[in-house]
Amino acid sequence: MARARKTQTKVCSVSGIETNVNNFYSNQNHVKAVDNLRRNSNATKDQLQRMFNQLNSYV
């Protein structure tokens, strides 16, 4: 009988979302999408973290 592999996940330090480790750069604690958003908006990592914290407080 084949054994199911458990998917490795990690929590993003900016958004707080738990997702697959493939969505992270190898040496970072935030997902690739956050890095792309940071680059395209000229926002800092701290500004994005504050934005995600505010969005998560409404849930």
Side-chain angles (χ1 to χ4, degrees):
M1 185 180 294
R3 208 168 196 191
R5 285 179 57 166
K6 183 173 174 155
T7 306
Q8 290 183 322
T9 61
K10 192 174 176 181
V11 177
C12 175
S13 63
V14 176
S15 67
I17 296 172
E18 183 176 357
T19 186
N20 192 312
V21 293
N22 294 330
N23 295 328
F24 291 83
Y25 290 118
S26 62
N27 58 348
Q28 298 292 326
N29 290 324
H30 55 273
V31 292
K32 294 175 183 178
V34 167
D35 206 35
N36 291 335
L37 184 62
R38 182 190 57 77
R39 264 192 248 113
N40 290 326
S41 68
N42 292 325
T44 66
K45 184 178 168 185
D46 290 332
Q47 289 171 327
L48 290 174
Q49 191 170 22
R50 186 173 58 229
M51 179 192 72
F52 279 109
N53 286 337
Q54 289 175 340
L55 288 171
N56 288 333
S57 70
Y58 289 109
V59 176

